[in-house]
Amino acid sequence: MKRSRYVLTGMLAAGMMISLTGCYEERPAYSTSSYYASSSEDSAGTSVVTTTYDTDPAVIEVVGGGAAAGLDDPDLEVNKRLKWMAWWDIDETTAAAEMFKVAYGIPEEGDDPASEGRIFEYIKVAYDDRYDKLTEAIQSGNSPDLFPFELRDFPYGVVEGRYQPVDKILDINGSKWDAARGVLDQFRLNGRYYCAVYEVSFDSLLYYRKSVIKEAGLQDPRALFENGKWTWDTFLDMARDFQKTGDGKYVIEGYNSENDFLVSTGTPLIGNNGTKLVNNMYSADVERAMDFLSTLQKEDLRYPFHELNSWNVNIKAWAQGDILFYGNGGMWEFEDDHGLNRYVEKFGWEPDDICVVPYPKDPKADKYYHLMKNDAYMWCKGSTNSNGVAAWIDCSITSSLDPAVKAASMNQIKEKNGWSDYNLDFIYSQTALDGTSRLTPVFDFKNGIGADIADASKSNSAVESVTKSVYLTGTRTYDKVREEKYSIINDRVDEINDTIASLE
């Protein structure tokens, strides 16, 4: 399990010009790994990589026992170390890494003794400078091979010339990718695949305490979900009932909960039909979601952290039962060094008191849509190591599809991070890309149209103000904010679509 690599920073409001960078930094989705190679800087500022070499023996056994036989081309000639540019190092103790070593060996050491036994050369960049550094590397002829996928840079990073399509080197139309087809197709541009998605995870989960639910006399949210009754309507009823149990009671807190509610309609603010972006600001689905968000704001049901806690979420209020749902992120919110799991021991809760449930369904939606994150790598423009990139991505998808690898990984995650079977089995079952999940993954590309108007770290950017003005502050109605921001956003969408149409 990849641990969170970011520390949530404190945030102070300066009117609406606030920086929420800490909470918006995109984290790797969970995968078939559990530890990672850490890095630090020496006194000269040089990145020093420390590999942990502690892959779970069960994972090694599964990979060595034949999982690598599922690779598309196990005889592919791969003799170059891959260059990975990011603000976090790739875990080389994963099933994918073990599979790569079994099939292709370890690249030659070269001139750097520190790279012995490693698949990747880690090119560390600061998070705030990541796109500038990538662009500089490409323009100088020193392009890395791979870069982390970030929804906030898609499709903008493609039209800006940072990435190239992976279907040049991978058979994305092959049966191996069929289970992920519905997700993959959401990341096509002009018919080409730029994003080889091999796993998805929850963008955000709703964490709640069974004891708080019981004490408030409410129905169990997981039971409602299992019975097909977990909708906006039952959520709203629960919110109002919980509010009546005492002063200062709120149903939910989280920096971006409004995005999860909106996408549950199945219609993101900015969609992608595989050929071009689609501006849905006048969609009836979006309007219905905005009405729901406005209700939560007007009735003071969501936690107003902008007013009560200097723009910070209040995890202490959730822990003491004053906020029903903590909806601020995915699995890392439970596992992190400062995660929710620490409260179990600290307060002596029952081991299974903390539970998870997806966001409620739009009662008018035809399916149970849910906002997701994806695990994928972007192939950088200018990279010449096409065989290495193809081999690594194939190892990633092949290991994620292997049931024995997944089983070994789940056992490891439970032991390391304190997950109960009740929660972890549920999470895996609802993020499976094999047609068994009730959830249909949806992605919103609203923050991927350029940071000048869509910066996710600023609540007053044109894009962010559309939802936050309605849900968080209530300063403007959706009709009003749409009137103010539509042309700005739509003009940018048109510009990007013109560039997408010329992509080869």
Side-chain angles (χ1 to χ4, degrees):
M1 181 67 202
K2 294 173 185 172
R3 296 191 317 191
S4 165
R5 293 173 173 82
Y6 318 108
V7 177
L8 185 63
T9 56
M11 291 156 290
L12 298 176
M16 288 292 285
M17 283 296 294
I18 61 170
S19 174
L20 301 177
T21 302
C23 62
Y24 280 99
E25 289 184 7
E26 296 196 27
R27 314 171 187 219
Y30 72 84
S31 68
T32 50
S33 65
S34 61
Y35 303 94
Y36 69 100
S38 62
S39 66
S40 59
E41 291 187 357
D42 60 20
S43 58
T46 303
S47 179
V48 179
V49 176
T50 304
T51 305
T52 53
Y53 297 109
D54 50 8
T55 307
D56 189 283
V59 173
I60 295 175
E61 182 179 355
V62 170
V63 173
L71 293 170
D72 286 343
D73 189 357
D75 297 321
L76 188 67
E77 184 177 347
V78 179
N79 54 21
K80 292 183 180 180
R81 179 169 283 105
L82 283 88
K83 296 180 180 179
W84 165 251
M85 177 178 281
W87 51 101
W88 51 273
D89 194 10
I90 279 190
D91 183 350
E92 294 208 15
T93 69
T94 64
E98 293 299 331
M99 188 174 291
F100 188 99
K101 294 170 187 176
V102 167
Y104 308 111
I106 300 171
E108 296 180 1
E109 179 180 321
D111 298 328
D112 182 11
S115 66
E116 181 180 356
R118 287 186 55 81
I119 300 168
F120 290 93
E121 174 189 341
Y122 175 34
I123 305 170
K124 184 179 181 181
V125 292
Y127 183 81
D128 290 342
D129 300 331
R130 63 201 186 285
Y131 301 139
D132 291 339
K133 294 298 182 182
L134 176 57
T135 300
E136 290 172 9
I138 293 171
Q139 293 176 347
S140 67
N142 295 311
S143 175
D145 299 308
L146 291 169
F147 193 84
F149 168 81
E150 287 189 288
L151 192 57
R152 68 176 62 193
D153 197 38
F154 192 91
Y156 200 70
V158 175
V159 301
E160 286 289 293
R162 286 194 275 270
Y163 314 115
Q164 53 186 325
V166 293
D167 57 12
K168 289 182 178 180
I169 56 174
L170 293 168
D171 182 16
I172 297 294
N173 291 312
S175 59
K176 180 180 293 187
W177 299 91
D178 283 349
R181 189 72 54 199
V183 173
L184 286 167
D185 286 348
Q186 294 184 58
F187 293 92
R188 288 180 301 160
L189 296 175
N190 201 22
R192 300 300 299 268
Y193 290 99
Y194 285 82
C195 200
V197 182
Y198 59 90
E199 284 183 344
V200 297
S201 66
F202 282 102
D203 174 76
S204 186
L205 281 160
L206 293 180
Y207 290 87
Y208 67 95
R209 293 179 55 203
K210 287 194 297 186
S211 57
V212 175
I213 290 287
K214 183 177 180 180
E215 183 178 344
L218 305 174
Q219 296 185 73
D220 181 64
R222 180 80 69 83
L224 289 170
F225 175 82
E226 298 290 359
N227 293 321
K229 297 180 179 180
W230 185 227
T231 67
W232 292 357
D233 294 338
T234 53
F235 179 86
L236 195 57
D237 289 342
M238 183 177 293
R240 289 165 174 161
D241 289 342
F242 184 67
Q243 189 180 59
K244 296 174 184 175
T245 63
D247 295 333
K249 300 289 185 179
Y250 302 94
V251 69
I252 187 172
E253 68 170 327
Y255 287 118
N256 301 296
S257 297
E258 70 276 10
N259 297 334
D260 294 84
F261 284 120
L262 190 155
V263 168
S264 68
T265 64
T267 302
L269 197 70
I270 304 295
N272 176 25
N273 65 13
T275 301
K276 63 180 182 179
L277 296 183
V278 180
N279 185 349
N280 294 312
M281 292 176 69
Y282 276 92
S283 164
D285 290 344
V286 172
E287 292 175 343
R288 185 170 64 256
M290 291 298 180
D291 286 343
F292 176 71
L293 294 176
S294 179
T295 297
L296 294 176
Q297 186 277 325
K298 288 178 179 177
E299 296 186 22
D300 215 19
L301 297 171
R302 54 86 190 100
Y303 177 67
F305 62 85
H306 63 296
E307 295 176 345
L308 301 184
N309 206 35
S310 300
W311 290 90
N312 287 284
V313 293
N314 192 341
I315 192 170
K316 183 181 295 185
W318 172 84
Q320 66 189 21
D322 290 329
I323 299 174
L324 199 57
F325 294 107
Y326 185 77
N328 197 52
M331 290 177 66
W332 61 85
E333 291 289 358
F334 181 83
E335 300 173 335
D336 209 352
D337 292 339
H338 301 286
L340 303 181
N341 58 354
R342 75 187 191 275
Y343 287 106
V344 175
E345 182 176 353
K346 182 176 181 180
F347 295 116
W349 298 343
E350 292 296 321
D352 61 348
D353 191 38
I354 297 179
C355 291
V356 296
V357 70
Y359 274 71
K361 175 183 179 293
D362 171 12
K364 293 189 177 181
D366 60 335
K367 296 179 182 179
Y368 203 130
Y369 297 101
H370 208 283
L371 191 64
M372 294 287 182
K373 294 177 70 69
N374 73 52
D375 250 355
Y377 301 96
M378 300 304 289
W379 185 27
C380 301
K381 203 71 171 287
S383 165
T384 59
N385 190 5
S386 58
N387 280 7
V389 171
W392 175 253
I393 294 177
D394 192 23
C395 286
S396 297
I397 178 67
T398 302
S399 61
S400 72
L401 290 173
D402 190 282
V405 170
K406 180 169 289 188
S409 174
M410 286 180 64
N411 287 333
Q412 188 178 13
I413 291 170
K414 289 174 186 176
E415 293 176 4
K416 182 177 185 293
N417 297 307
W419 284 104
S420 66
D421 290 339
Y422 181 69
N423 281 322
L424 194 62
D425 291 350
F426 174 78
I427 289 171
Y428 267 77
S429 69
Q430 297 307 319
T431 52
L433 293 177
D434 58 4
T436 59
S437 171
R438 293 189 182 187
L439 307 181
T440 298
V442 180
F443 302 86
D444 197 324
F445 301 93
K446 67 187 182 73
N447 294 119
I449 60 175
D452 57 328
I453 67 168
D455 192 338
S457 69
K458 293 183 173 62
S459 67
N460 69 330
S461 66
V463 166
E464 284 302 297
S465 65
V466 170
T467 52
K468 285 184 168 52
S469 295
V470 175
Y471 174 71
L472 214 58
T473 63
T475 54
R476 285 165 290 180
T477 64
Y478 178 58
D479 286 345
K480 181 63 176 177
V481 73
R482 179 173 58 185
E483 179 184 338
E484 295 173 359
K485 306 300 182 183
Y486 180 81
S487 61
I488 298 172
I489 295 171
N490 200 61
D491 287 350
R492 176 59 55 83
V493 169
D494 287 344
E495 291 173 12
I496 290 176
N497 282 337
D498 288 343
T499 304
I500 291 174
S502 66
L503 292 173
E504 297 181 358

